[in-house]
């Protein structure tokens, strides 16, 4: 899990360096795919439940699961989340960040900063004996007073030999997931945060792309974390 996490972080960092006005989401996909193979790993999203590409690229009011496309060019002022999951020696590492494309609005900048901070306030409660629902309580207490919508239909997740496993890790309060954290557990914390309502819908044509209902901007950050004997370790770091 540590090696897979490190590799996912490397692929995310290297692919993120290519984000600029004019690059296409397919170019980002192909770069990430090749680097993953070069490191002896596989892109976990490719063919996962029929997902057609190797990474997710989610622009502006796309919440997550955006499909990279030929000719889909990033423009100055966009924000784009790159979500990388690698499978190395049978284990998964899953991490994402939202990047600014050139100069962005103050509102978009603030959304990105608050979303990243909310991921950290979620991660910081991780320790043996804490409950999974403590993550969502902590994130919600940070974001809701600021007026954001916390996406409810998609959650963090256990991760290991499987891309997605138990438990679900919701990012909103009072979610009732009372499982207790134990040393050795690995799961993701990956809040999806909207400038408007929390409501989302899935694209009827491609079956994947998740959009905000009210067209508001959405950001996301994700790490894979390990519960240690006295707290947590972030695995998706280089
Ligand atoms: N990486 C996403 C997550 O954080 C899942 C993407 S599923 C895919 O859980 F099929 F769209 F790749
Ligand atoms: Co994930
Ligand atoms: Co992910």
């Amino acid at each position: 899990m540590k090696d897979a996490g490190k590799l996912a972080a490397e692929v995310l960092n290297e692919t993120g360096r290519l984000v600029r006005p004019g690059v296409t989401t397919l170019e980002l996909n192909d770069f990430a795919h090749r680097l993953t193979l070069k490191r002896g790993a596989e892109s976990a999203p490719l063919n996962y439940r029929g997902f057609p590409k190797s990474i997710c690229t989610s622009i502006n009011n796309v919440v997550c699961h955006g499909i990279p496309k030929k000719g889909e060019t990033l423009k100055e002022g966009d924000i784009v989340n790159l979500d990388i999951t690698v499978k190395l020696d049978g284990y998964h590492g899953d991490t994402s960040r939202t990047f600014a494309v050139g100069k962005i609005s103050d509102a978009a900048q603030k959304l990105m900063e608050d979303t990243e901070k909310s991921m950290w306030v979620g991660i910081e409660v991780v320790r043996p004996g804490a409950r999974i629902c403590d993550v969502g309580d902590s994130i919600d207490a940070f974001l809701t007073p600021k007026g954001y919508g916390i996406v409810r239909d998609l959650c963090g997740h256990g991760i290991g030999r499987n891309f997605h496993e138990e438990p679900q890790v919701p990012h909103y309060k009072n979610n009732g997931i009372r499982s207790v954290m134990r040393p050795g557990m690995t799961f993701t914390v990956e809040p999806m945060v909207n400038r408007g309502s929390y409501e989302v819908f899935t694209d009827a044509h491609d079956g994947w792309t998740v959009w905000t209902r009210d067209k508001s901007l959405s950001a996301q950050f994700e790490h894979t974390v390990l519960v240690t004997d006295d707290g947590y370790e972030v695995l998706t770091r280089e």
Side-chain angles (χ1 to χ4, degrees):
M1 285 302 288
K2 289 184 180 183
D3 289 346
K6 257 196 179 91
L7 177 59
E10 185 199 352
V11 175
L12 179 58
N13 288 338
E14 292 306 310
T15 309
R17 289 152 65 93
L18 303 181
V19 170
R20 55 172 171 73
V23 75
T24 69
T25 52
L26 190 67
E27 287 166 342
L28 299 173
N29 177 84
D30 292 353
F31 176 86
H33 183 80
R34 288 197 194 101
L35 179 55
T36 301
L37 290 186
K38 203 180 345 175
R39 295 287 185 269
E42 284 167 53
S43 302
L46 186 60
N47 301 320
Y48 177 78
R49 301 188 175 175
F51 190 78
K53 289 285 182 268
S54 298
I55 68 172
C56 298
T57 51
S58 303
I59 304 171
N60 295 336
N61 56 325
V62 175
V63 173
C64 64
H65 302 171
I67 301 172
K69 287 171 191 70
K70 183 169 182 243
E72 181 183 59
T73 300
L74 299 181
K75 302 186 309 295
E76 176 106 19
D78 285 343
I79 60 172
V80 61
N81 176 278
L82 306 184
D83 193 336
I84 305 288
T85 313
V86 301
K87 185 178 183 184
L88 178 64
D89 297 334
Y91 292 92
H92 292 80
D94 188 8
T95 184
S96 88
R97 278 190 356 233
T98 302
F99 296 86
V101 183
K103 193 174 158 36
I104 62 173
S105 69
D106 291 348
Q109 184 64 40
K110 187 79 170 85
L111 170 69
M112 285 179 37
E113 284 170 12
D114 286 338
T115 302
E116 184 165 19
K117 280 187 198 159
S118 80
M119 175 190 67
W120 287 113
V121 306
I123 289 173
E124 277 159 12
V125 307
V126 174
R127 60 174 177 79
R131 294 184 187 276
I132 290 291
C133 51
D134 298 341
V135 173
D137 288 343
S138 167
I139 291 174
D140 200 314
F142 176 75
L143 289 173
T144 299
K146 300 187 194 302
Y148 293 111
I150 304 169
V151 172
R152 302 176 73 90
D153 290 0
L154 298 120
C155 297
H157 50 91
I159 180 168
R161 287 192 174 277
N162 300 305
F163 190 164
H164 296 106
E165 39 184 78
E166 290 294 302
Q168 285 209 79
V169 184
H171 305 106
Y172 53 88
K173 70 180 173 188
N174 300 334
N175 59 64
I177 310 289
R178 293 179 54 77
S179 356
V180 175
M181 298 179 196
R182 301 289 180 211
M185 286 178 65
T186 48
F187 54 84
T188 71
V189 176
E190 51 177 303
M192 284 147 271
V193 181
N194 302 344
R195 280 204 73 219
S197 155
Y198 66 81
E199 289 180 282
V200 303
F201 68 95
T202 303
D203 192 292
H205 300 286
D206 66 27
W208 279 104
T209 310
V210 177
W211 303 84
T212 56
R213 256 210 194 286
D214 60 7
K215 302 194 161 64
S216 63
L217 276 186
S218 188
Q220 182 181 23
F221 287 78
E222 173 175 27
H223 273 309
T224 298
V225 300
L226 165 70
V227 183
T228 61
D229 289 333
D230 58 357
Y232 66 86
E233 182 179 336
V234 174
L235 299 185
T236 37
R237 285 216 230 251
E238 279 201 85

